[in-house]
Amino acid sequence: MAAAERMVVIGGDATGMSAAAQARRLKGPGELEIVAFERGRFSSYSACGIPYWVGGQVTERDSLVARSPEEHRSRGIDLRMRTEAVELDVPGQRVRVTEQEGTERWVGYDQLVLATGAVPVRPPLPGIDAEGVHGVQTLDDGQRLLDALERGHLPHGVRGRVESGGASPRRAVVVGAGYIGVEMAEAFVRRGYQVTVLEKAEQPMSTLDPDMGELVHEAMCSMDIETVLGASVTEVRTDERGRACAVATQDAEYPADVVVLGLGVRPATELAREAGLPLGESGGLLTDLAMRVRGQDNIWAGGDCVEVLNLVSGRPQHVPLGTHANKHGQVIGANIGGGYATFPGVVGTAVSKVCDLEIARTGLLEAQAAAVGLRFTSVVIESTTRAGYYPGTRPIHVKMLAERRSGRLLGVQIVGRENAGKRVDIAAVALHAGMTVEQMTSLDLGYAPPFSPVWDPVLIAARKAAAAVREG
Amino acid sequence: MAAAERMVVIGGDATGMSAAAQARRLKGPGELEIVAFERGRFSSYSACGIPYWVGGQVTERDSLVARSPEEHRSRGIDLRMRTEAVELDVPGQRVRVTEQEGTERWVGYDQLVLATGAVPVRPPLPGIDAEGVHGVQTLDDGQRLLDALERGHLPHGVRGRVESGGASPRRAVVVGAGYIGVEMAEAFVRRGYQVTVLEKAEQPMSTLDPDMGELVHEAMCSMDIETVLGASVTEVRTDERGRACAVATQDAEYPADVVVLGLGVRPATELAREAGLPLGESGGLLTDLAMRVRGQDNIWAGGDCVEVLNLVSGRPQHVPLGTHANKHGQVIGANIGGGYATFPGVVGTAVSKVCDLEIARTGLLEAQAAAVGLRFTSVVIESTTRAGYYPGTRPIHVKMLAERRSGRLLGVQIVGRENAGKRVDIAAVALHAGMTVEQMTSLDLGYAPPFSPVWDPVLIAARKAAAAVREG
């Protein structure tokens, strides 16, 4: 009997462990040995849940862990925690790993899965690495932030004020007003902090067009989240003990008891780059539809370390989202396990919230559409989430982009209150199907007064967009 | 200059008045005269809102009226209230109408819109027309019911008990456990009534498969709604003053202070039938895709009085829903106004709720699929509406039917709690697009912990259905 093949997985979160679990379902230990390396202390956790853990909606760290190392091991996956892959030898089909205690060794593979994720963008500014400046990318990051908040490490001056009985709230400065930034802003509002968000662009949520971003800006202001736009951070100031105490921009200084970086992430692909594997413009690995690294027979990659095809723009793109990472893992595991699966691409869907404001988008923004040569018409409508007379009905704005002439849907953006955000799924499916906005006007969507106005807001937008297309 | 064409509309609710308003937008009074007849006292109202008005969530009757007769008139539509069309002379292109005071006259038309709606099914049982037995199809019906509840007309025996200080709650018996039935059950629960729902079938919500209906049954029981299945109503018992006081079935009697009929509706097409216009099996008018009555040049019909094409079964079907009625009106108005629009058909989407239980469906049930010759596989999954660790996450069951071999999606049914129901829209769009369940597994749906688990419940169902299709 032939020796079992060995599948080596680098990265113990969504993609890596989904791939391992799916492959294990299809092939037993006699056929396939599975070894996985994770440099952190946690496996298969929800990084997307960290803002809600910091905000207190989630009280148990372990509830963010979908499957612990022990559970993986009990399913026949040899998961080695706190073990880092430091070199990849593609011709030799082996990976060099460093264990926690410093031991180094080479591990050979027949099939390799690169699931190394992403790292937060940390601009090289003075003070950026000081104590009190936090990323929130990994569960370890979240734990460090919560430990710091609970220890109550405050800069000297503030501590003095608190000790003298002053009621000044603590101050959080969040750098960046993207998804992570606004979610962390909400978390600190919930903790009673005075929150300032510093954003370099002229709008929060640059995943939206400026007009829709302005709606988010207005809402954040009404939530007492100080949102400073056009703010270029120049330095994190530190106190005499070396702890962050303020964030300076080109023209102001914002005192801070805690600083959180929400500047987005970039693919963690140093290992792959050094091994000569193909990377895209964002630095993400390039794969085929089966999630195999281009040009490689037995190296697979998925999750936050790859680029995916945007089916609307036709361009590869870095889209670090847990939902894609899980799908990639399933696809890789199915293929290594002898099955067949593909990941055709994304349409650019994302949904988030800040306090009770829901923010969603799918497809292309105006600038993205223009950048790939598309001409389009766009409309914005305002409606309600339920029938106008039904209690709890809330406002919703829907922006819709359609290609000129063809009328093909190109994108939808939604800003509204409760029950607004997930309506983006209607447009996401329509994008996958290549529908025109005219076709969308006759979609048979669920209607009853507690769920929707008799014309769902997406239908209202489609009607207006279809009329705009007809008018040329 | 030629005299203006005359558009005559029969029925002043969603279809009729949408058609009138849309035609008026496209053609001014000099080109098109618009006359509309409504036999009731209200125009353009939301019949779907009546259960919430009875239940007290909606307090103002007028908030259910989207546009009053005066508003229509101010827009150049000659709307005659309490005027009934009693005869249609197709060769003569005229309609005989009876006004409230008894005046009769013939009105000629160039374009006729039949928007006569539907009438509640009222089986010919003893006592069914007694005082205290209510339909809830029109705003007039709703007003009569509320007046009766507020007058507190109770049968003699019960009145005695209440007067003697007894705390017995009033009792409502709802006949029929479809959408209207369960919504009215909720309304009476909210009013503090003891509620009994009598349903002839062996499940509530026969718009669902039996297994999904059973989930609704269990939930209704836990809401203290007595739900009697297999109950064939034989008689409405009346007291000595002729008022309904109980509902009798084949083997029991249910005392009632008020009786509501929720047995569904049938198309109100007597006028059309007598005029020889083509009707389908349900009695609904048959139209083409532009909503023109088949074989007629200048007669249009839409809303609850027509049959529509079910795009999944390929069969015409009676689907009395406000959302279709409004679309039909738009289509008819656009075509009469010189524009162009069609209504391609429905996929059978509906959503409702009883208390906090959300119930939704789209596409075909198992029995419906079998009846049109489709072979299918079906799966049921249980998941949650938000990430498992996120507060307010609630259970959701999703059933998915896929055609054997092709894997084409045939239908989805959802029973769950808050935020479950509108997920049916994902499947509705996929049905319009003719997607396979395999294609659905890679849909890029909105994910963030407050909105969905990392695998949306619809994706989980699609994965399971795709696996079932592969297994044959």
Side-chain angles (χ1 to χ4, degrees), chain A residues 142-215:
Chain A
Q143 185 68 66
R144 272 189 293 271
L145 171 57
L146 271 170
D147 288 349
L149 297 177
E150 273 146 33
R151 276 196 313 270
H153 270 162
L154 301 179
H156 188 70
V158 175
R159 183 188 296 271
R161 259 190 283 150
V162 170
E163 280 170 357
S164 69
S168 305
R170 296 184 186 184
R171 290 159 306 187
V173 173
V174 177
V175 182
Y179 290 109
I180 298 284
V182 301
E183 288 167 5
M184 289 308 299
E186 172 182 338
F188 283 105
V189 166
R190 290 180 54 93
R191 292 183 78 96
Y193 279 64
Q194 193 178 308
V195 181
T196 299
V197 179
L198 303 177
E199 168 60 47
K200 193 192 266 184
E202 291 301 330
Q203 64 172 91
M205 299 303 296
S206 53
T207 51
L208 300 179
D209 281 333
D211 53 343
M212 298 298 278
E214 181 53 30
L215 297 176

Side-chain angles (χ1 to χ4, degrees), chain B residues 214-280:
Chain B
E214 180 53 30
L215 296 175
V216 177
H217 185 204
E218 285 163 17
M220 288 175 74
C221 293
S222 75
M223 291 163 190
D224 285 329
I225 297 171
E226 184 186 22
T227 309
V228 186
L229 303 177
S232 194
V233 171
T234 54
E235 182 182 351
V236 176
R237 299 267 158 81
T238 53
D239 63 14
E240 69 276 15
R241 303 170 73 172
R243 291 197 191 110
C245 64
V247 178
T249 67
Q250 76 277 27
D251 48 24
E253 185 171 313
Y254 301 89
D257 299 309
V258 61
V259 178
V260 170
L261 299 181
L263 292 166
V265 297
R266 56 177 181 74
T269 47
E270 283 68 22
L271 206 63
R273 182 188 304 274
E274 285 164 13
L277 296 178
L279 305 181

Side-chain angles (χ1 to χ4, degrees), chain A residues 379-463:
Chain A
V379 299
V380 180
I381 65 98
E382 186 176 355
S383 179
T384 56
T385 54
R386 309 172 192 260
Y389 54 79
Y390 194 86
T393 191
R394 304 295 309 275
I396 174 173
H397 287 80
V398 180
K399 180 168 187 171
M400 188 174 281
L401 270 66
E403 190 181 17
R404 285 179 60 181
R405 305 242 172 122
S406 79
R408 183 167 58 102
L409 177 70
L410 294 180
V412 161
Q413 297 163 54
I414 296 174
V415 175
R417 304 284 167 160
E418 198 198 351
N419 290 324
K422 268 295 250 180
R423 279 185 158 86
V424 78
D425 287 347
I426 299 166
V429 183
L431 283 169
H432 276 278
M435 282 188 183
T436 66
V437 290
E438 183 76 38
Q439 288 174 314
M440 290 179 73
T441 62
S442 55
L443 285 175
D444 184 3
L445 304 179
Y447 161 65
F451 298 93
S452 174
V454 71
W455 289 97
D456 190 281
V458 175
L459 294 179
I460 298 174
R463 281 172 59 191

Side-chain angles (χ1 to χ4, degrees), chain B residues 112-142:
Chain B
L112 178 67
V113 179
L114 296 172
T116 45
V119 289
V121 171
R122 220 173 233 263
L125 296 173
I128 196 88
D129 293 321
E131 190 182 334
V133 180
H134 294 269
V136 285
Q137 171 70 2
T138 64
L139 212 48
D140 283 301
D141 292 338

Side-chain angles (χ1 to χ4, degrees), chain A residues 13 41-47 58 60-72 139, chain B residues 389:
Chain A
D13 199 5
R41 295 184 298 143
F42 303 100
S43 64
S44 299
Y45 60 87
S46 171
V58 175
E60 295 298 320
R61 183 189 68 203
D62 288 351
S63 66
L64 296 182
V65 176
R67 203 171 274 183
S68 69
E70 293 68 36
E71 289 172 285
H72 283 298
L139 212 47
Chain B
Y389 53 78

